[in-house]
Amino acid sequence: MTFRQGGRLDTSGVSAGGRGGRRGIAVGGGVGGLVVVVIALFLGVDPGQFLADPAAPSDRAGSSATTDDLDAHIDQCDLAQANVDTVCRIVATTESLEDVWTTQLPDQVGMRWEQPHTTIFSGGVDTACGAASSDIGPFYCPGDRTVYIDPTFFDSVLVGRLGGPPAGAAQMYVVAHEFGHHLQTMLGDIRRSQQDPRGPSSGAVRVELQADCYAGLWAHYATTTPAPDGGPPLLESLTPADVDAIVRTAEAIGDDHIQRTGGGRVDPRSWTHGSSEMRRQWFLTGYEQGSVGACDTFRAQL
Ligand SMILES: [Zn+2]
């Protein structure tokens, strides 16, 4: 997936985040009557993955970028950089997603798109859902309608630990998946994840597969949706090799593959995101059909 050369990026929807002193994330519980849900990329809502003490130092090597460094990095991003730099690629992808959903949501659902915020962080971050460490992977917090991504996740976990392809398209798919959770929040479907959190045909798995399908929908329109000023689409090309990289990424973050990689046995009863095959299939459904209606995983036979 290649962004067109030349042109500035609007970086106003993306900022750097860090740690302050909030308490750890409360997962699946009530905090003063407020139910907090976090939708993490591949580990579901495992409380053990969240920092109990956000002041504790991260044990992750190489994640020493400060919030100021990251903010400066984000501010200097342009489209040419988005093809070679992970942080700038995330920024440009959020803008491509905004272009597609701003067009498709009114057309297909009759709703106006509200762009979520995106926070790029290093090591750990405070959110309206509490404090989180990078270890949970990219996630979406409905409480502040924000997508959170530590860019080191892609090399260290997705490629390094799970064997996914080192491709820009893989990173863009992950951003698009998290935006899918934002759309589910707008439509009210995201709560189904917490109501039925585990199992191969659970609400949680259906929510995750739908986010994969919405990511596919974005890919379907990404190279043909004009920029808001009527200029050419932000994304110039999406090749069969890109689609293949995304499919292999979807397979890498399937619950069965993660369980096998972790040395455990495959136990569908504990699934929160769906198998490699399910994730591959639902991304492709969105990509091939380009229809919100085709992404109704709640009616589908799983
Ligand atoms: Zn997800």
Side-chain angles (χ1 to χ4, degrees), residues 18 50 87 161 189 208 235 252 276 288 298:
F50 292 85
V87 168
R161 212 189 302 165
D189 291 325
E208 293 301 330
L235 207 61
S276 300
E288 285 161 7
F298 299 103

Side-chain angles (χ1 to χ4, degrees), residues 123-172:
V125 66
D126 288 335
T127 80
C129 300
S133 86
S134 293
D135 298 331
I136 64 166
F139 65 97
Y140 174 78
C141 172
D144 52 20
R145 300 195 164 210
T146 297
V147 171
Y148 291 90
I149 301 176
D150 180 338
T152 63
F153 163 82
F154 296 113
D155 283 344
S156 66
V157 179
L158 186 57
V159 178
R161 212 189 302 165
L162 297 173
Q171 301 171 356
M172 295 162 76

Side-chain angles (χ1 to χ4, degrees), residues 3-54:
F3 291 101
R4 66 178 154 85
Q5 296 292 317
R8 291 291 305 164
L9 275 173
D10 174 7
T11 62
S12 60
V14 185
S15 61
R19 288 177 187 161
R22 290 200 213 199
R23 297 175 52 201
I25 280 181
V27 178
V31 179
L34 176 72
V35 175
V36 178
V37 185
V38 175
I39 306 293
L41 175 66
F42 70 105
L43 287 172
V45 286
D46 178 352
Q49 298 298 325
F50 292 85
L51 284 179
D53 175 11

Side-chain angles (χ1 to χ4, degrees), residues 53-281:
D53 175 11
S58 169
D59 60 1
R60 295 162 55 82
S63 57
S64 58
T66 66
T67 305
D68 285 349
D69 289 342
L70 272 172
D71 263 326
H73 190 155
I74 292 164
D75 282 344
Q76 55 81 50
C77 286
D78 59 23
L79 276 170
Q81 293 247 55
N83 286 322
V84 293
D85 174 89
T86 300
V87 168
C88 296
R89 183 178 291 115
I90 293 168
V91 174
T93 303
T94 67
E95 201 165 317
S96 172
L97 281 156
E98 180 173 21
D99 294 349
V100 168
W101 283 117
T102 297
T103 308
Q104 293 305 319
L105 201 60
D107 280 5
Q108 295 196 29
V109 184
M111 275 177 74
R112 198 177 66 85
W113 173 254
E114 298 157 12
Q115 179 78 345
H117 190 74
T118 300
T119 294
I120 298 176
F121 69 99
S122 175
V125 66
D126 288 335
T127 80
C129 300
S133 86
S134 293
D135 298 331
I136 64 166
F139 65 97
Y140 174 78
C141 172
D144 52 20
R145 300 195 164 210
T146 297
V147 171
Y148 291 90
I149 301 176
D150 180 338
T152 63
F153 163 82
F154 296 113
D155 283 344
S156 66
V157 179
L158 186 57
V159 178
R161 212 189 302 165
L162 297 173
Q171 301 171 356
M172 295 162 76
Y173 151 65
V174 169
V175 179
H177 171 99
E178 298 304 333
F179 269 58
H181 288 316
H182 176 65
L183 177 54
Q184 291 169 329
T185 301
M186 291 178 65
L187 296 172
D189 291 325
I190 201 149
R191 64 175 68 98
R192 298 187 190 213
S193 180
Q194 207 175 27
Q195 287 163 354
D196 179 16
R198 270 174 220 289
S201 57
S202 61
V205 164
R206 291 174 192 274
V207 162
E208 293 301 330
L209 297 177
Q210 187 175 56
D212 285 336
C213 190
Y214 288 156
L217 190 149
W218 160 74
H220 180 94
Y221 295 103
T223 58
T224 55
T225 303
D229 62 3
L234 229 52
L235 207 61
E236 200 166 67
S237 77
L238 187 148
T239 65
D242 293 324
V243 175
D244 182 61
I246 292 175
V247 162
R248 284 190 289 134
T249 302
E251 290 172 345
I253 56 180
D255 285 322
D256 51 342
H257 181 256
I258 291 172
Q259 288 175 338
R260 238 179 267 119
T261 304
R265 72 187 169 86
V266 174
D267 178 10
R269 290 170 306 173
S270 66
W271 287 358
T272 55
H273 285 61
S275 68
S276 300
E277 173 57 25
M278 292 161 113
R279 300 199 72 162
R280 183 189 76 86
Q281 185 199 320

